[in-house]
Amino acid sequence: GENVEQHPSTLSVQEGDSAVIKCTYSDSASNYFPWYKQELGKRPQLIIDIRSNVGEKKDQRIAVTLNKTAKHFSLHITETQPEDSAVYFCAASRSGGSYIPTFGRGTSLIVHP
Amino acid sequence: DTGVSQDPRHKITKRGQNVTFRCDPISEHNRLYWYRQTLGQGPEFLTYFQNEAQLEKSRLLSDRFSAERPKGSFSTLEIQRTEQGDSAMYLCASSSSDLGTYEQYFGPGTRLTVT
């Protein structure tokens, strides 16, 4: 089955800095890679996703890059704000069929004002 | 709130008791997933429904766990003879296969504590 590794487990930055979270996956057939944000005590929410036919996707301060050859993908947050503080999860899955994502263990991002 | 809802939000039970959780997905969503999340981990897949059919179950899912989605709307997850290792957050998520997107919408979760 799929195995997703996520690093770092904790990331502490100053407001305004950039933050990068990296994930690797094992199943070369995986072709859909979502990122979820989970604030303390709240439900996970999708913030951005990328499919394997695209190398990069951007949405305002958030971007995701994908390297299919190396089987890794990354989340980039620029100009971080205190409200970005949360746990971020990457996931990998095969699109089509049941689409069941395998999640990483999460990265706790702390943005200091 | 028209999102995914779960009931109860918290459940404390004694080891050996049975518990049942309910999930109400977004009304037009035909796919429903159950996950378990423990501290410091990402959501771990338990089972998946498309409409009323249970199409996949995790190999890690003990036979003490059973799930139903009788009319393709709400779903229940039952844990029989609970063990302390069952303590976790149980998350439900739903999505639609008709929208051309794979986004899953999560519920707030049911936190189970087995004493």
Side-chain angles (χ1 to χ4, degrees), chain A residues 3-14:
Chain A
N3 182 50
V4 176
E5 298 286 339
Q6 182 171 348
H7 300 279
S9 56
T10 305
L11 180 58
S12 183
V13 300
Q14 289 296 127

Side-chain angles (χ1 to χ4, degrees), chain A residues 19-61:
Chain A
V20 180
I21 302 170
K22 299 182 179 182
C23 290
T24 59
Y25 61 99
S26 61
D27 186 352
S28 56
S30 289
N31 56 4
Y32 176 65
F33 307 92
W35 286 87
Y36 286 83
K37 175 183 180 182
Q38 187 173 27
E39 297 178 47
L40 190 62
K42 295 192 176 181
R43 68 192 75 190
Q45 291 191 301
L46 182 74
I47 55 171
I48 195 167
D49 56 13
I50 191 167
R51 302 188 190 189
S52 59
N53 57 347
V54 175
E56 183 174 358
K57 184 177 178 180
K58 192 172 181 180
D59 182 4
Q60 299 182 347
R61 297 186 296 109

Side-chain angles (χ1 to χ4, degrees), chain A residues 37-39 41-45, chain B residues 1 3-5 9 91 105-109:
Chain A
K37 175 183 180 182
Q38 187 173 27
E39 297 178 47
K42 295 192 176 181
R43 68 192 75 190
Q45 291 191 301
Chain B
D1 185 1
V4 179
S5 61
R9 297 290 304 275
L91 292 166
Y105 294 80
F106 282 85

